[in-house]
Amino acid sequence: MTKLFLASWFAGSATLLTSFAREDLTGKKVVFIPTASSHEMPDEYRNGLDFINNADKKSLENLGLIVEDLEVLSETSEAIEKSISNADCIFVCGGNPFFLMQELKRKGADKMICHHIKQGKLYIGTSAGSNLVQKGFIDDGVDDTRFGLELNGDFSGLGFIDFYLFPHYGHNYFCNDKELFDKYYVSVDCIKIADNQAVTVDGEKIETITAPKSCIPQIPMLYSH
């Protein structure tokens, strides 16, 4: 049965994961994939994304999970398959979704992740990592599609959900969120999630769950998801 925990920013909703998983996660192994944020970017964005990824990793560790880093860019397809197969959960970080999909496809990791999700392995996404399981990505001008040139305009996702997600809604990190939503998302089936929220998929059951706003860490600088 498909089990997806799709966060806007995982650190802001991490306290909800154990209840959703319906099991003690202590000692479970999670493979941590930061690839979406591994492209070139200005230092201020790099520092911001490093802060976010580290906050997510710390949140996983606080739940008792054993975190194993997996950088798709630098590993062989065989090593990627071994890491994902040996893990109890899959975690995919935020960053540029077009770059993420391009690099996953380059190593065949998109198919590996699909296989393990279908086998019932818990998938946890944050921002672009959550968008990854959509049927596709919308080019709304926030993320630079040039980082995914090898996709040749094929912006399809893994296809586990038939709706879109709008992460970070209400925080206005990149522009006016309402204006962006009204321009690109109002005509499609889309769920808006703030940084203390996640959309969960448990088989056929889909819910939006919310943690206290106090759970959201304070971001020290601007970042690009």
Side-chain angles (χ1 to χ4, degrees), residues 206-220:
I206 299 170
E207 288 186 293
T208 300
I209 56 178
T210 305
K213 288 186 178 180
S214 59
C215 292
I216 305 173
Q218 294 298 307
I219 304 175

Side-chain angles (χ1 to χ4, degrees), residues 103-202:
E103 299 308 313
L104 292 179
K105 285 187 173 182
R106 189 196 303 273
K107 299 291 179 68
D110 58 327
K111 293 182 174 62
M112 299 175 200
I113 291 172
C114 281
H115 171 75
H116 286 278
I117 291 176
K118 290 176 181 177
Q119 294 299 310
K121 188 164 290 188
L122 173 61
Y123 177 92
I124 309 162
T126 184
S127 193
S130 295
N131 294 134
L132 180 67
V133 301
Q134 297 172 170
K135 58 187 175 183
F137 308 128
I138 293 177
D139 179 10
D140 57 13
V142 172
D143 294 296
D144 195 337
T145 61
R146 290 177 297 176
F147 287 110
L149 286 178
E150 293 179 26
L151 297 174
N152 295 315
D154 177 9
F155 298 152
S156 56
L158 299 186
F160 284 96
I161 57 175
D162 59 4
F163 53 90
Y164 294 91
L165 296 172
F166 192 120
H168 317 301
Y169 190 83
H171 300 279
N172 300 303
Y173 293 134
F174 315 107
C175 58
N176 184 297
D177 287 345
K178 184 180 185 307
E179 290 180 1
L180 186 68
F181 183 86
D182 289 346
K183 183 175 182 180
Y184 290 99
Y185 295 91
V186 73
S187 62
V188 299
D189 186 6
C190 181
I191 298 177
K192 298 174 282 192
I193 45 176
D195 281 352
N196 60 320
Q197 294 182 306
V199 170
T200 60
V201 179
D202 192 355

Side-chain angles (χ1 to χ4, degrees), residues 39-109:
H39 56 84
E40 293 184 2
M41 64 183 74
D43 287 345
E44 63 268 25
Y45 292 141
R46 166 62 54 213
N47 292 336
L49 275 167
D50 285 348
F51 174 86
I52 289 164
N53 288 348
N54 288 334
D56 284 346
K57 184 179 292 187
K58 183 64 176 177
S59 296
L60 291 166
E61 292 171 344
N62 287 342
L63 294 173
L65 286 152
I66 299 169
V67 180
E68 179 180 295
D69 291 299
L70 173 60
E71 177 48 79
V72 170
L73 295 182
S74 58
E75 295 291 350
T76 64
S77 296
E78 292 75 16
I80 293 168
E81 173 61 31
K82 182 178 180 180
S83 292
I84 295 175
S85 295
N86 289 340
D88 300 293
C89 322
I90 301 167
F91 187 99
V92 180
C93 297
N96 187 299
F98 305 104
F99 181 78
L100 173 62
M101 180 57 85
Q102 172 181 279
E103 299 308 313
L104 292 179
K105 285 187 173 182
R106 189 196 303 273
K107 299 291 179 68

